[in-house]
Amino acid sequence: MARSLTRLFRGCQSLASLPPMRVQLSYPPASVSLRITSIRTMASQDFSLPNPSWGPDMLRLYEHYKSQCEVEVEGGEKQGALWQRLPSYNRSIKYATGGAFLSRTIQSKARLFTRNITEPGAGFEYVLFANKKEQKCVCIFQPGHLLEGPPGHVHGGAIATMIDTVTGSHAVFLYGAIMTANLNINYRSPISLGSTVLVESTVDKMEGRKTLLSCKVTSTDGSKLYTEATALFLSISESRFLEW
Amino acid sequence: MARSLTRLFRGCQSLASLPPMRVQLSYPPASVSLRITSIRTMASQDFSLPNPSWGPDMLRLYEHYKSQCEVEVEGGEKQGALWQRLPSYNRSIKYATGGAFLSRTIQSKARLFTRNITEPGAGFEYVLFANKKEQKCVCIFQPGHLLEGPPGHVHGGAIATMIDTVTGSHAVFLYGAIMTANLNINYRSPISLGSTVLVESTVDKMEGRKTLLSCKVTSTDGSKLYTEATALFLSISESRFLEW
């Protein structure tokens, strides 16, 4: 049971990239009370909106996808938006009671790993767009100077972090609460600090509780492949637990 | 050739965890001049020494391995130290000339991803010990509140970052300059923020330019497995290039 409880928390990993929402996971339902509640102050900052540190490539791609988020009118008939921007906060789930005990320090000071640097442009600058119909998710990512690994280039761990974030957010967007089970990452070429790259996620397979996604990190025109990966997630949402 | 150049930089990923040294990579040797020089000011801080944020588990394990770093005298004969502590700075390679152009901002402001948070205890608190004879490397890791993924627990990307750091530093310690080619990570159980865990790296195979390492993240007594992974590195040191 302890294992089930702790497993549940892994599944919330990517929830912090999603819009404000009330999350109540009632599994396991019987003897253990586990309730995760999203309580965010009204002043929460959405970090996936443009700021002065965004370069021309980042802004251009942001405008490109944003324009496809708007509802189009064709022949007097409204067409659904192709893409949806996913807001991003530095913490979406603030309090967990029941199965998880969080110290006061953690309660008050914890911040989402990818949004823990306050200086614009210094850490992870990124925005996610999801396309439900095509089951695709794209992230425009501008890595800052505090993400260094090799001189002038992005740390392999920071790249892994973005892959986990993009595929995890994508899986949550499509199927609800999940937990990361595996990341398999092939590094092909280094990424320069301050450049802009695309991180794209596609669904390969969905079977019972398992969702397998592919992810590619490329140049903004798609001509250069920097990193490719697969990510396996296990669903912890109630409906899919029935198939377990 | 451009590919070879950029590949070289991936290989330096883990150098930043190693002691101050002059690094000159002369491959490719002929027409392209590539020189990476480590220039660090005398005031560089070694982040792998105890600070007030280290908890009792972190300190106890640090003392345990530190005591095995010292040269023992048995029957009047000096015995070699079993373990060696690897210092850790927030940037070891400051200037790269030749193949790589780094902007002034990157030159002056870039920081190693795992050492970019200045508040003690808030980010990655860790220390690495390496054992050349047994080809093992162990890291005592205390993840801070700014590494959050699921509420109260460490982000999967932060775990991947530590796995890359520990296996990469281990490979550099044993074989010199390398580049990460693959990380394959299985997440078993979440890790609480503020806890202390062990990240252990062992060499599985060394063949030509390739080194395969295994990595486990466990509780400090080794009884609980949190994460396990394999990491593949390609050597870029001159001697091993001859086998290529």
Side-chain angles (χ1 to χ4, degrees):
Chain A
M1 184 56 81
R3 187 169 172 158
S4 305
L5 273 173
T6 50
R7 276 182 148 195
L8 269 174
F9 280 91
R10 274 217 60 70
C12 305
Q13 187 164 315
S14 306
L15 288 172
S17 313
L18 291 180
M21 57 182 177
R22 193 172 178 84
V23 184
Q24 289 196 329
L25 303 173
S26 57
Y27 180 86
S31 58
V32 178
S33 155
L34 175 73
R35 203 163 287 123
I36 302 170
T37 311
S38 170
I39 303 170
R40 194 184 300 119
T41 63
M42 295 303 287
S44 289
Q45 182 186 346
D46 181 353
F47 287 89
S48 72
L49 292 170
N51 69 52
S53 80
W54 287 22
D57 274 359
M58 183 92 180
L59 281 169
R60 180 180 54 78
L61 284 161
Y62 172 79
E63 291 299 337
H64 170 76
Y65 284 101
K66 185 171 163 267
S67 69
Q68 296 181 66
C69 290
E70 288 151 13
V71 175
E72 288 176 7
V73 180
E74 266 183 34
E77 205 170 311
K78 280 190 178 178
Q79 307 287 315
L82 290 173
W83 292 86
Q84 185 177 332
R85 185 180 68 84
L86 305 183
S88 175
Y89 305 93
N90 64 8
R91 206 166 185 216
S92 69
I93 299 168
K94 204 163 181 179
Y95 299 102
T97 57
F101 170 74
L102 302 185
S103 73
R104 285 194 182 183
T105 305
I106 302 295
Q107 288 278 17
S108 61
K109 294 171 78 179
R111 292 291 175 272
L112 183 69
F113 181 44
T114 55
R115 298 298 191 189
N116 67 8
I117 294 165
T118 50
E119 183 190 343
F124 294 93
E125 287 294 339
Y126 65 96
V127 51
L128 276 82
F129 291 91
N131 184 321
K132 205 157 202 165
K133 194 178 167 190
E134 294 181 17
Q135 297 199 318
K136 278 185 183 176
C137 185
V138 65
C139 169
I140 313 161
F141 173 38
Q142 183 187 290
H145 54 266
L146 296 186
L147 309 187
E148 193 178 48
H153 294 82
V154 187
H155 194 288
I159 298 168
T161 299
M162 281 313 294
I163 287 168
D164 189 29
T165 297
V166 176
T167 53
S169 301
H170 191 193
V172 169
F173 176 75
L174 292 174
Y175 309 118
I178 47 89
M179 55 188 174
T180 319
N182 175 267
L183 285 180
N184 192 348
I185 305 167
N186 287 308
Y187 295 94
R188 305 288 184 203
S189 195
I191 301 168
S192 296
L193 295 175
S195 65
T196 300
V197 296
L198 285 178
V199 188
E200 289 178 286
S201 167
T202 49
V203 178
D204 282 346
K205 204 174 172 184
M206 207 269 272
E207 205 175 81
R209 289 181 62 211
K210 295 177 182 174
T211 303
L212 186 70
L213 298 104
S214 282
C215 189
K216 282 185 181 180
V217 185
T218 66
S219 55
T220 53
D221 63 0
S223 65
K224 186 171 180 65
L225 177 67
Y226 293 109
T227 318
E228 55 187 342
T230 57
L232 176 67
F233 294 95
L234 296 185
S235 172
I236 54 168
S237 69
E238 282 179 272
S239 59
R240 292 181 71 191
F241 256 112
L242 300 175
E243 302 167 56
W244 195 24
Chain B
M1 185 56 80
R3 189 169 171 159
S4 304
L5 273 173
T6 50
R7 275 183 149 195
L8 268 175
F9 281 93
R10 274 217 59 73
C12 306
Q13 185 162 318
S14 306
L15 287 173
S17 314
L18 290 182
M21 58 182 178
R22 191 169 178 89
V23 184
Q24 288 197 328
L25 303 173
S26 60
Y27 179 87
S31 58
V32 177
S33 153
L34 176 74
R35 203 162 289 124
I36 302 169
T37 311
S38 171
I39 304 171
R40 195 186 298 120
T41 64
M42 294 302 287
S44 288
Q45 183 186 345
D46 180 354
F47 287 89
S48 72
L49 291 171
N51 70 51
S53 80
W54 285 23
D57 274 359
M58 184 92 180
L59 281 169
R60 180 179 54 79
L61 284 161
Y62 171 78
E63 292 299 338
H64 169 76
Y65 285 100
K66 186 171 163 266
S67 69
Q68 296 181 65
C69 290
E70 289 152 14
V71 175
E72 289 175 8
V73 179
E74 267 182 35
E77 205 169 310
K78 280 190 178 178
Q79 306 289 313
L82 290 172
W83 292 85
Q84 184 176 332
R85 186 180 67 85
L86 305 183
S88 174
Y89 305 92
N90 63 9
R91 207 164 186 218
S92 69
I93 299 169
K94 206 162 179 178
Y95 299 102
T97 57
F101 169 75
L102 303 183
S103 73
R104 284 194 180 183
T105 305
I106 302 295
Q107 288 277 17
S108 61
K109 294 172 78 180
R111 293 292 175 269
L112 182 68
F113 182 43
T114 56
R115 298 299 190 187
N116 67 10
I117 293 166
T118 49
E119 184 190 342
F124 295 91
E125 287 293 341
Y126 65 96
V127 51
L128 277 83
F129 291 91
N131 184 322
K132 205 157 200 164
K133 194 178 168 190
E134 294 181 15
Q135 296 199 319
K136 278 184 182 176
C137 185
V138 66
C139 169
I140 314 164
F141 173 38
Q142 182 187 290
H145 54 267
L146 296 186
L147 308 187
E148 193 178 50
H153 293 82
V154 186
H155 195 288
I159 298 168
T161 299
M162 280 313 294
I163 288 168
D164 189 28
T165 297
V166 177
T167 53
S169 300
H170 190 193
V172 169
F173 176 75
L174 291 173
Y175 309 118
I178 46 89
M179 56 187 175
T180 318
N182 175 268
L183 285 180
N184 192 349
I185 304 167
N186 287 308
Y187 295 95
R188 304 289 184 202
S189 195
I191 300 168
S192 296
L193 296 175
S195 65
T196 301
V197 294
L198 285 177
V199 188
E200 289 176 287
S201 167
T202 49
V203 179
D204 283 345
K205 205 174 170 181
M206 208 268 272
E207 206 176 84
R209 290 182 62 211
K210 293 178 184 174
T211 303
L212 186 70
L213 298 104
S214 282
C215 189
K216 282 186 180 181
V217 185
T218 66
S219 54
T220 52
D221 64 359
S223 64
K224 187 172 178 64
L225 177 67
Y226 292 110
T227 317
E228 55 186 342
T230 58
L232 177 68
F233 295 95
L234 296 185
S235 172
I236 54 168
S237 70
E238 282 178 90
S239 59
R240 292 182 70 188
F241 257 112
L242 300 174
E243 303 167 56
W244 194 23

